[in-house]
């Protein structure tokens, strides 16, 4: 089924699955993720959105260390953690083996087993980038999901290439000379789009229907698909655990974190705020940005706003240029 | 029907792979192992196998994909050398820690720097503590035979360890020799069907691979390592059983190591790999001169059959241990240390000297081997005065 066809189908959210069938969820309660962690929400939403048998390859990071703890496991689906930088390569091997077993008649050819690779932004943008790029180029049928909490959180909150300009982390501390991270965040979805794979999407758990729809499209892409999802980290962003989704939604409403997809070359923004809020709405309520609101750092906020505006305009232009403005 | 073909060691490995017909191969080119992968991709392209071939973007991903594929449930292999193996190291430990029966053909090569593409054993030594079974081959035939046996060793239910078959890069890997290629059906019967063990692909019975083990009081890291050690104890027995079965079936017998004119010897050369052939010639010459010299050719390096080695070597007067890797910063190179350690505590222990040869592909000529034997004989008379390690064919 073409990706676009899936998109036009109005699919219901499987609320029941989350509300009443917790004992059937892919991740059992009792994991060790922090209260208010975005990863948990993302994972539950993901598995509620689809019904395939799924094999998971998980990169080292918060999700991995908090869900598979010998002799226990939170996973009710087949799951493997190999190392930090190789979730995509591991998933390549899984996908190849499924293909081989089907070809040799050791597995029913019509069994719809799906492969999901999961990594944090460190395991995706940085150390795992080469393996990811290789797997995408080779065309393995897998969904790669990045839960992007904008830093190396499992090791205590260090910078990654996804950490935003100005943010304070344990390796870009706010000092008397240097006020936080001095480099811009790299745009992983643009890089993945340049691989010309069938499907790339950016999403947020604060817009669940949008996320669920994108996940379904990703799994039906008939080739590699990449989904980047913003994931609040109360511990290292310095946010109140109960406010995670509200804060995440501010990233969307300010257009700091645009929701869009690149569906076989067509760029489509899937949510356009009626009124684009100023970026300070996103920067507020997060301790990692607290210093930015000081008068002497006004230039930094201005720079963030200007960069954000530039990227948003670029995205709008891409949407127009590729014919993505019509109905999805 | 078996046929005699004229093949290089790398082609012999590819030939074994063709007969094994693995489910997944993931590999990345590096001299001198590249032609294994090239020969095999040709077989894939021509439909001689129905393997899923992944031409990965690095050796790190090659081994990572092997882990994913093996855990999913099937036969998996790869090939590499030197820098490629070095890039794999992190995942070598994970493959063995997860007890995945992955097979690796290592066309051995010197590690950089300086960059060098020729053979030595520094890469084989790099992986010696990684939890892999390691088997050395002397020639093209042994490389082929070892690869077939490796399937059985790795997949044995009491072993379940990854296995590396070493062949000397640029020598065995590229040298043309006569190779007996056994009958396809006979090989198929010998290796048998793959039996999956908790495969990821059984989605109705989900399993977790690679969970961490950190919580104090509930950590099982030490126990997992202890079980791997026990698997190596089993492997020692299994390697012998399978070597014997292979011999009964195909006529070429394999044990833990090979003894050549060692029975009544007073002096021994201990060596692994391609240069053992030259050593055998030198021994024949020395024997003609009335000198009682023999060879102990190392085959199985991991697990290290130290008790059997001790029994085979303990009555000797002197032993020249040849190592093809650097002893930098140690008493000597790995074979030397492990042979000496195996002999610890025997009565009237032999004099053991270490000779370093062939680094970066440096030639080892018969006169160098002779020289080492003479030095060892001398040391048994004069005693070892200081120098335990000698370097053969080097500019000093
Ligand atoms: C090769 C390697 N280098 C470093 C580490 C240490 N390490 C483990 S997790 C991690 C950070 C993970 O960051 P990310 O991928 O963003 O995931 P998160 O922790 O935020 O969930 C680091 C640096 C490692 N496990 N392996």
């Amino acid at each position: 089924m073409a990706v676009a066809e899936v998109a036009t189908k109005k699919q219901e959210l499987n609320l029941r699955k989350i509300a009443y069938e917790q004992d059937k969820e892919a991740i059992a309660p009792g994991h060790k993720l922090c209260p208010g962690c975005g990863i948990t929400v993302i994972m539950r939403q993901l598995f509620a959105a689809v019904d395939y048998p799924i094999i998971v390859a998980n990169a080292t990071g918060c999700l991995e260390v908090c869900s598979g703890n010998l002799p226990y496991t939170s996973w009710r689906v087949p799951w493997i953690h190999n190392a930090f930088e190789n979730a995509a390569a591991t998933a390549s091997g899984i996908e190849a083996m499924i293909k081989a077993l089907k070809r040799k008649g050791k597995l029913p050819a019509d069994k719809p087993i799906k492969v999901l690779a999961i990594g944090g932004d460190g395991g995706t943008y940085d150390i795992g980038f080469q393996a990811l790029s290789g797997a995408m180029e080779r065309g393995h049928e897998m969904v790669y999901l990045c839960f992007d909490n904008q830093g190396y959180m499992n090791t205590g909150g260090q910078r990654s290439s996804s950490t935003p300009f100005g943010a304070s982390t344990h390796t870009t501390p706010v000092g008397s000379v240097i006020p936080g991270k001095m480099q811009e965040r790299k745009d992983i979805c643009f890089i993945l789009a340049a691989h010309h794979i069938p499907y790339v999407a950016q999403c947020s758990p604060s817009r669940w229907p949008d996320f669920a729809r994108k996940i379904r499209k990703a799994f039906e892409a008939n080739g590699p698909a990449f989904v980047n999802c913003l994931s609040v980290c109360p511990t290292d962003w310095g946010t109140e655990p109960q406010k995670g989704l509200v804060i995440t939604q501010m990233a969307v409403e300010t257009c700091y974190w645009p929701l869009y997809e690149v569906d076989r070359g067509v760029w489509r923004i899937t949510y356009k705020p009626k009124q684009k809020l100023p970026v300070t709405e996103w920067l507020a309520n997060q301790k990692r940005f607290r210093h930015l609101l000081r008068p002497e750092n006004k230039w930094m906020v201005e720079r963030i706003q200007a960069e954000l505006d530039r990227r948003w305009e670029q995205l709008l232009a891409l949407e127009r240029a590729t014919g993505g403005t019509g109905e999805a | 029907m078996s046929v005699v073909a004229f093949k290089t060691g790398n082609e012999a490995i590819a030939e074994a792979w063709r007969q094994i017909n693995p489910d997944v191969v993931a590999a990345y080119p590096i001299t001198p192992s590249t032609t294994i992968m090239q020969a095999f991709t040709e077989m894939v392209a021509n439909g001689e196998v129905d393997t899923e071939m992944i031409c990965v973007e690095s050796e790190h991903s090659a081994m990572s994909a092997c882990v994913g594929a093996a855990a999913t449930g099937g036969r998996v292999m790869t090939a590499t050398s030197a820098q490629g193996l070095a890039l794999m190291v992190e995942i070598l430990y994970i493959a063995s820690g997860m007890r995945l029966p992955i097979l690796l053909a290592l066309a051995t090569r010197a590690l950089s720097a300086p960059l060098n593409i020729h053979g030595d054993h520094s890469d084989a030594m790099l992986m010696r503590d990684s939890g892999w079974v390691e088997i050395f081959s002397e020639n093209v035939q042994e490389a082929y035979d070892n690869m077939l046996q490796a399937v059985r060793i790795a997949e044995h239910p009491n072993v379940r360890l990854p296995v590396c078959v070493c062949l000397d890069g640029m020598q065995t890997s590229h040298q043309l020799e006569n190779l007996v290629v056994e009958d396809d059906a006979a090989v198929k019967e010998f290796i048998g069907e793959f039996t999956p063990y908790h495969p990821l692909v059984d989605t109705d019975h989900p399993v977790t691979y690679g969970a961490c083990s950190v919580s104090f009081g509930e950590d099982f890291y030490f126990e997992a390592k202890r079980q791997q050690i026990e698997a190596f104890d089993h492997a020692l027995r299994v390697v012998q059983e399978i070597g014997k079965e292979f011999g009964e079936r195909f006529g070429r017998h394999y044990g833990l190591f090979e003894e050549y004119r060692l029975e009544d010897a007073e002096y021994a050369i201990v060596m692994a790999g391609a240069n053992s052939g030259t050593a055998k010639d030198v021994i024949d010459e020395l024997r003609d001169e009335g000198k009682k010299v023999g060879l102990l050719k190392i085959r199985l390096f991991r697990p290290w059959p130290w008790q059997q080695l001790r029994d085979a070597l303990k009555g000797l007067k002197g032993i020249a241990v040849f190592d093809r890797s650097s002893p930098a910063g140690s008493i000597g190179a790995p074979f030397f240390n492990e042979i000496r350690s195996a002999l610890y505590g025997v009565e009237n222990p032999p004099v053991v000297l270490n000779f370093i040869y062939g680094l970066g592909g440096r030639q080892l000529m018969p006169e160098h081997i002779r020289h080492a034997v003479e030095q060892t004989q001398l040391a048994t008379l004069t005693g070892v005065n200081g120098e335990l390690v000698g370097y053969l064919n080097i500019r000093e």
Side-chain angles (χ1 to χ4, degrees), chain B residues 125 321-325 333-337 354-357 359:
Chain B
M125 294 303 148
V321 180
F322 282 65
D323 267 282
R324 207 177 179 183
S325 59
F335 286 145
F336 169 76
N337 273 309
N354 195 194
F355 295 93
I356 309 299
Y357 74 102
L359 300 196

Side-chain angles (χ1 to χ4, degrees), chain B residues 63-192:
Chain B
M63 191 45 68
S64 300
C66 284
V67 164
T72 304
R75 283 198 174 122
V76 177
M77 32 211 83
T78 188
T80 196
S81 304
Q83 306 314 111
L85 187 81
L87 199 53
M88 282 181 184
V89 165
E90 182 195 23
I91 314 303
L92 292 180
Y93 281 77
I94 292 170
S96 61
M98 288 189 191
R99 308 289 297 277
L100 298 171
I102 298 165
L103 301 188
L104 166 68
L106 183 69
T108 63
R109 159 179 157 177
L111 286 161
S112 292
L115 190 147
N116 179 294
I117 58 164
H118 298 290
D120 74 24
H121 294 158
S122 51
D123 49 6
M125 294 303 148
L126 170 74
M127 71 180 290
R128 72 185 190 273
D129 297 329
S130 64
W132 283 59
V133 171
E134 261 186 282
I135 304 174
F136 279 82
S137 323
E138 179 190 329
N139 50 38
V140 171
Q141 187 71 53
E142 285 192 9
Y144 168 84
D145 292 350
N146 283 338
M147 186 47 79
L148 296 182
Q149 291 172 62
V151 178
R152 293 280 305 279
I153 299 163
E155 292 172 16
H156 193 286
N158 291 340
V159 178
R160 303 256 340 150
L161 289 172
V163 177
C164 170
V165 172
C166 306
L167 55 157
D168 285 56
M170 293 303 191
Q171 285 169 275
T172 313
S173 69
H174 282 64
Q175 222 153 256
L176 280 161
E177 288 174 12
N178 279 346
L179 170 74
V180 179
V181 180
E182 296 299 342
D183 178 61
D184 285 2
V187 169
K188 206 171 163 190
E189 199 184 295
F190 173 75
I191 60 172

